[in-house]
Amino acid sequence: MWSSIPCCRKELSLWKEVEPGVWRSVLAGRIWTLKQTDNELLYHVQKSDSDCNSSKEEHTVAKKSKRPKRLIPKGSGDSGSGDSVNENSGLEDTLKDYFQLDVSLGDLYKRWSAADKNFANRGRFLPGVRVLRQDPVENLFSFICSSNNNITRISGMVVKLCVKYGLLVGRLDGECWHSFPAVSALAGKDTEGELRSMGFGYRAKFIHQAAALLLKQGEDWLYQLRNVPYPEAHAELQKLPGVGAKVADCVCLFSLDHPGAIPVDTHVWQIACRDYMPELKAKKHLTDRTYKDIGEFFRNLFGGYAGWAHSVLFSADLKKFQALTASPAGDDVVSPTKKRKRKIEEKP
């Protein structure tokens, strides 16, 4: 049976399609299947199979810290994350929180378009680019995999992590769905060697060392970075093995409630040089100083949700979406990706 929540088609970026018009993934320990009308998001949730995890060790997952208050654009509703009165309201809360449906993209796009003609020209063809609020542990290790990597290989590595170290959540339509591994699983003494044999290369060491350190410090340390100022969260993350400025910004933006974080890779650098900061064309390398300057420029231009605006510009510049900028039907386009893993071209 399908349930629904109000959600305009222009206000949502959806997951990878498993069939035309239907998206599926694991979220909060359950298999979610989504489809969308112009005004509603329809969802079906399958609970974990009771016998699926008998062969896997039950690893403890840290309780997430309370979500801090944040500035919500005018016109946005409050998701009301209090105690759920029934299971359906709890599921709706999970979905609204994950997609950050309390943030009105329409209001943000208007602000950004008024501030920047380039955004106005590009953003109108990609109205559904929404930043997800992902689990910090999953997001952290996914982006550690992104170092010197491409989208296909990153996705493949994340799947390998889930199958090898995650719990089997269930089987649906002949396919097995796994949760993301617990930190304790990634910190196992044999993990680095196993990951190297699975093709992770030098990232195997970073994953194992970061997991071991996070396990020692306690996962609450990571979740509490949602409650500190962005500069502090960004600096703290870089104390983890395999985490440089770009990965730290990705984690800040996509899971730690710092919407002004700007992940700068060579692609974003090129956008800044071409459209906003021509003086950077004389720079031969993306230095730490240039990295900070680009981030500050976009934060000054777009405000508190600059990371969201930057994600729209990044998406609009990808080859798969460039054709939409000339499409008269562009206003009806919804971005179909779940997690855009961008290529990181220098080691942390």
Side-chain angles (χ1 to χ4, degrees):
M1 179 178 179
W2 292 91
S3 301
S4 69
I5 58 176
C7 180
C8 175
R9 180 178 292 274
K10 295 183 180 181
E11 290 275 299
L12 189 62
S13 297
L14 284 176
W15 301 342
K16 181 180 179 180
E17 287 182 290
V18 293
E19 60 181 82
V22 179
W23 292 262
R24 184 170 294 151
S25 187
V26 171
L27 175 63
R30 301 186 181 195
I31 304 171
W32 294 69
T33 305
L34 309 179
K35 61 182 180 180
Q36 192 178 12
T37 67
D38 286 341
N39 299 306
E40 289 184 314
L41 176 65
L42 305 175
Y43 65 93
H44 177 270
V45 182
Q46 177 173 307
K47 296 182 179 180
S48 302
D49 292 349
S50 59
D51 61 341
C52 275
N53 300 320
S54 58
S55 62
K56 294 268 190 177
E57 179 184 355
E58 292 288 347
H59 299 280
T60 301
V61 179
K63 183 179 180 180
K64 298 181 181 181
S65 62
K66 183 178 179 181
R67 183 175 187 176
K69 292 182 178 180
R70 58 177 180 164
L71 176 64
I72 303 300
K74 183 179 178 181
S76 300
D78 187 349
S79 62
S81 57
D83 293 336
S84 300
V85 295
N86 54 50
E87 185 177 21
N88 282 340
S89 65
L91 294 174
E92 286 191 10
D93 286 345
T94 296
L95 204 58
K96 289 177 180 178
D97 180 79
Y98 183 72
F99 284 112
Q100 304 201 73
L101 295 181
D102 55 355
V103 178
S104 171
L105 281 181
D107 290 337
L108 287 174
Y109 271 58
K110 289 179 182 177
R111 294 184 189 181
W112 298 331
S113 296
D116 176 31
K117 291 182 178 180
N118 182 57
F119 183 94
N121 290 333
R122 293 175 178 270
R124 65 193 179 99
F125 297 108
L126 285 174
V129 180
R130 179 174 290 276
V131 171
L132 305 181
R133 189 179 193 247
Q134 300 171 49
D135 176 78
V137 170
E138 177 179 349
N139 199 36
L140 170 65
F141 289 100
S142 296
F143 276 106
I144 289 178
C145 291
S146 73
S147 177
N148 285 312
N149 222 340
N150 58 58
I151 295 173
T152 301
R153 290 197 68 226
I154 296 167
S155 300
M157 285 181 176
V158 173
V159 171
K160 288 179 180 179
L161 286 177
C162 294
V163 173
K164 177 67 176 179
Y165 301 106
L167 299 177
L168 178 61
V169 176
R171 300 176 180 86
L172 191 58
D173 296 336
E175 186 173 359
C176 291
W177 294 84
H178 297 79
S179 65
F180 195 84
V183 173
S184 55
L186 297 177
K189 61 183 179 64
D190 298 324
T191 300
E192 181 179 345
E194 292 170 346
L195 291 177
R196 287 187 181 277
S197 69
M198 294 162 59
F200 281 70
Y202 67 86
R203 303 169 196 85
K205 180 180 179 180
F206 290 151
I207 291 171
H208 179 253
Q209 289 183 342
L213 182 57
L214 190 55
L215 192 64
K216 181 179 180 180
Q217 292 185 208
E219 292 180 44
D220 279 343
W221 168 82
L222 179 60
Y223 289 96
Q224 287 297 331
L225 294 181
R226 285 175 167 169
N227 303 314
V228 304
Y230 158 69
E232 181 179 346
H234 190 252
E236 285 294 304
L237 286 169
Q238 292 182 73
K239 295 178 181 179
L240 293 170
V243 179
K246 291 172 292 190
V247 171
D249 269 323
C250 288
V251 178
C252 283
L253 177 60
F254 298 117
S255 63
L256 293 182
D257 299 341
H258 295 293
I262 307 288
V264 181
D265 57 11
T266 54
H267 190 76
V268 174
W269 179 25
Q270 291 167 1
I271 293 174
C273 291
R274 184 191 67 212
D275 299 331
Y276 296 97
M277 305 171 72
E279 67 274 14
L280 295 181
K281 293 179 181 179
K283 305 286 186 179
K284 295 182 178 181
H285 303 286
L286 179 59
T287 64
D288 291 344
R289 179 70 261 171
T290 301
Y291 185 102
K292 293 178 181 178
D293 288 344
I294 292 173
E296 287 304 313
F297 177 89
F298 283 118
R299 280 185 283 271
N300 290 333
L301 178 62
F302 293 120
Y305 277 75
W308 289 52
H310 139 280
S311 295
V312 177
L313 295 174
F314 178 88
S315 300
D317 216 53
L318 296 176
K319 289 183 179 180
K320 65 183 295 184
F321 293 125
Q322 285 178 355
L324 298 178
T325 60
S327 171
D331 286 343
D332 294 325
V333 172
V334 177
S335 173
T337 55
K338 175 186 176 183
K339 298 178 196 174
R340 190 173 317 286
K341 300 294 192 277
R342 59 192 58 176
K343 186 175 180 181
I344 306 296
E345 298 190 2
E346 59 182 88
K347 296 181 181 179

